[in-house]
Amino acid sequence: MPHVIADRYEPVELLGRGGMGAVWRARDRVLDREVAIKEVTPPAGLDDEQIGRVYTRTFREARSAARLDHPGIVTVYDVVEEDGRPWIVMQLVRARSLAAIIKEEGPLPPERVAALGLDLLDALRTAHAAGVVHRDVKPGNVLLPPDRAVLTDFGIATVAGDETITQTGAIIGSPAYLAPEQARRQRASPASDLWSLGATLYAAVEGRSPYQRPDVWGVMGALLADEPDPPRRAGALAPVLHGLLRAEPGERAGHDEAERLLRRAAAGTPAPFAPPDSPAPVPPPPPHLTVDPGAGLPGGTPTSPPPGTVPPGTVPPGTVPPGTVPPGGVRTDGERHGPRWAVILPLGVFAVLLAAGVLSAAVFLTQSGEKNGRPGQAGSSAATASGNGSTGSPNVAVPAGYEPYRGPGFTVAVPKGWKAEASGDDVTFSDPAQGGRRGIAIQRIAENAADLGGSMADAAGRFENDTSYRDYRQVDFRRGFDYQGGDAAELEFTFTREGVAGRCRARVFRFNGAVYQTVLVTRADSWGQTVPYYETFLKTLRAE
């Protein structure tokens, strides 16, 4: 056991040991109180000059961490030198770590994890505002005294904006909780801490890290090349994890967006992630202000409820809530408008149509090549892409390996040999060589919509609770970008349908004076091969 440190701090009990040193419970002889004191031990294999740099950085960063005053951050009292090494003196928090609780109790409920996440996020917000980046947020550095979470071990924190002192190439931090940019040896930033926060919350709700591999090299390889393993227990916490665990720092949820998602998760009412620089998704309208998505809407799929019941989210027969538009286009407030769906459609109902259209396209995964069209649609006719009876020169440049297709109001290039099946304004294309298990659909879904991004975000929220999309995990969401001369929104996600792992990308945009969506659906294992077909489809789509 070490001797008295700096003639003041007397180590009493070893509390734990990690890659950067050991932590002791100690007695402060001057103030007669218990403290925690960290003995800093550099990584093995460093020469004297490199060790000196580690010590210099530790002194500097401990002083920076001592400026932080927050109930969710373990207070740094002092940094002293003993035997030429720095020792960091900290507040002693008598509590188990989150890592120990996960090990002993297993996965925690999503709502509890969300509440812990709010505490940790607030602590990180304070640190980042002071220019301090933690760099090693992980379950082992989260202490859980009653009714709160506390972040400890700012001993390897780095001051944002300062020059990095160490050039050793050693891994600083725990590989399973490192942000991808840290694994690439890029500078850590507040966004790096937020990724690590997401990984920590993932571990709390799933009982394991987002990259569980046999060894550290497997973890590092997966971190650099793979998506995080799909969460299975996250529930309302899933949008938070999707927002924080993004490979690119600029695409991650920031402090404000993470807080919004965590508060919704803590209340058990998840909200979809809105990428940076985009407005937060608008919540769907209350049920009494929406209509049956199949009632008079192009592409709608009305169903017949049992006698005496009203489908959720519809207006009971004979009921006209204030502000809605009954058949004939006259609102109850006296203002006349066009068709009722042009007024009510912009968000809630539109999202239902988006979800229904994507679900129809997802049937690609589980049908054979001879049944690759949309189910339940009479009057469809299957043909090869170029054999649809079109004549004349198409208004589209056709790359090698593709052939033109002229549909209702559009032309486009599709892969040679793919089958086309049309129904009204909707056309699906599928690959017979893959047994119909990959395809592209283009669908006219509305005449008008005010907020495409909000509607797509609303649809994404519905997918997470739709049993048709087992193992749903959002991969990407973009809104407000330009396509076809107007704004567009795009959602990408993975899911399982009847035991088949699939991946989908859906884009919604204004086209031909209406709102359309294109959908790519394929087996997950052929995603990389199929995406170029979809990108060519989008590039060559032209209005007729």
Side-chain angles (χ1 to χ4, degrees):
M1 179 174 293
H3 53 280
V4 176
I5 307 301
D7 294 325
R8 176 172 179 175
Y9 303 105
E10 179 183 357
V12 176
E13 176 189 6
L14 179 64
L15 299 178
R17 187 179 297 275
M20 286 292 291
V23 178
W24 301 78
R25 179 171 63 87
R27 186 172 68 90
D28 181 346
R29 290 181 168 183
V30 174
L31 298 180
D32 192 22
R33 66 177 178 181
E34 287 193 319
V35 296
I37 185 166
K38 180 171 183 176
E39 171 191 8
V40 178
T41 304
L46 305 186
D47 59 30
D48 290 343
E49 181 180 358
Q50 292 169 332
I51 290 174
R53 289 177 178 173
V54 171
Y55 289 163
T56 299
R57 185 188 66 189
T58 299
F59 276 109
R60 184 187 64 188
E61 295 176 359
R63 287 193 292 268
S64 298
R67 303 197 309 260
L68 304 178
D69 182 14
H70 188 278
I73 297 176
V74 172
T75 304
V76 174
Y77 293 142
D78 197 2
V79 56
V80 298
E81 184 176 356
E82 182 74 19
D83 297 331
R85 292 179 293 156
W87 295 68
I88 302 173
V89 184
M90 301 173 288
Q91 171 191 8
L92 178 64
V93 178
R94 296 182 178 276
R96 291 188 297 167
S97 71
L98 177 58
I101 291 176
I102 295 171
K103 183 177 181 180
E104 296 167 13
E105 301 180 11
L108 305 181
E111 290 78 8
R112 180 183 178 191
V113 175
L116 300 177
L118 284 168
D119 289 346
L120 298 174
L121 178 66
D122 196 46
L124 287 173
R125 189 195 296 267
T126 295
H128 296 162
V132 177
V133 179
H134 190 284
R135 285 181 57 172
D136 196 22
V137 178
K138 61 182 181 180
N141 282 337
V142 175
L143 302 179
L144 297 180
D147 302 323
R148 64 189 174 114
V150 178
L151 188 58
T152 187
D153 201 358
F154 275 84
I156 62 169
T158 180
V159 180
D162 284 359
E163 179 185 359
T164 302
I165 293 181
T166 56
Q167 304 294 332
T168 66
I171 295 175
I172 303 298
S174 304
Y177 299 94
L178 281 180
E181 62 271 20
Q182 290 176 272
R184 292 191 294 266
R185 294 182 61 188
Q186 295 174 0
R187 190 175 188 83
S189 68
S192 306
D193 279 353
L194 292 179
W195 193 98
S196 298
L197 172 63
T200 297
L201 300 181
Y202 182 108
V205 77
E206 297 291 326
R208 53 182 289 269
S209 72
Y211 292 100
Q212 190 175 57
R213 302 295 187 270
D215 53 44
V216 65
W217 305 117
V219 171
M220 295 294 284
L223 185 63
L224 292 172
D226 298 340
E227 297 289 340
D229 298 337
R232 301 185 182 279
R233 302 173 181 267
L237 196 67
V240 185
L241 304 182
H242 297 160
L244 292 174
L245 295 177
R246 299 216 159 195
E248 294 301 323
E251 296 179 359
R252 281 174 212 150
H255 297 94
D256 292 343
E257 174 69 357
E259 180 180 1
R260 182 184 73 85
L261 296 173
L262 282 167
R263 291 196 182 282
R264 293 290 296 270
T269 56
F273 166 58
D277 301 324
S278 66
V282 181
H288 69 278
L289 292 183
T290 62
V291 297
D292 183 350
L297 303 179
T301 54
T303 57
S304 298
T309 64
V310 178
T314 63
V315 180
T319 302
V320 184
T324 63
V325 184
V330 180
R331 292 172 47 133
T332 56
D333 56 13
E335 185 177 353
R336 178 173 292 273
H337 287 273
R340 60 178 177 175
W341 47 267
V343 178
I344 303 176
L345 190 61
L347 210 60
V349 176
F350 184 24
V352 175
L353 294 181
L354 286 172
V358 175
L359 178 59
S360 296
V363 176
F364 284 131
L365 289 184
T366 53
Q367 291 185 321
S368 68
E370 296 182 357
K371 293 183 179 180
N372 55 9
R374 296 178 66 190
Q377 298 216 349
S380 296
S381 59
T384 61
S386 59
N388 64 335
S390 61
T391 58
S393 181
N395 180 29
V396 60
V398 181
Y402 292 77
E403 51 194 355
Y405 180 88
R406 174 169 282 134
F410 69 88
T411 56
V412 71
V414 297
K416 282 186 177 179
W418 280 35
K419 287 187 176 182
E421 186 162 324
S423 176
D425 292 326
D426 301 349
V427 186
T428 60
F429 306 89
S430 59
D431 181 8
Q434 293 284 329
R437 293 203 169 188
R438 67 179 178 186
I440 299 171
I442 179 169
Q443 302 164 333
R444 174 173 169 155
I445 54 176
E447 196 73 21
N448 183 32
D451 182 6
L452 300 186
S455 299
M456 181 64 89
D458 191 9
R462 295 172 187 272
F463 294 152
E464 293 198 83
N465 299 312
D466 191 331
T467 57
S468 301
Y469 296 92
R470 290 188 56 197
D471 305 324
Y472 172 89
R473 182 172 66 86
Q474 181 175 304
V475 176
D476 194 20
F477 176 71
R478 296 191 298 149
R479 64 194 297 173
F481 62 93
D482 181 75
Y483 180 65
Q484 295 290 340
D487 70 305
E490 187 171 80
L491 171 70
E492 182 179 324
F493 60 92
T494 58
F495 65 104
T496 303
R497 183 175 175 85
E498 297 184 16
V500 180
R503 190 159 176 169
C504 175
R505 183 181 293 174
R507 176 176 294 189
V508 59
F509 54 96
R510 293 179 173 84
F511 181 72
N512 263 350
V515 178
Y516 279 71
Q517 74 169 345
T518 55
V519 182
L520 168 67
V521 183
T522 183
R523 293 175 63 109
D525 55 13
S526 62
W527 177 256
Q529 300 171 353
T530 309
V531 166
Y533 296 140
Y534 184 61
E535 292 176 344
T536 298
F537 187 96
L538 293 173
K539 289 177 182 177
T540 60
L541 180 63
R542 299 289 185 272
E544 281 277 278

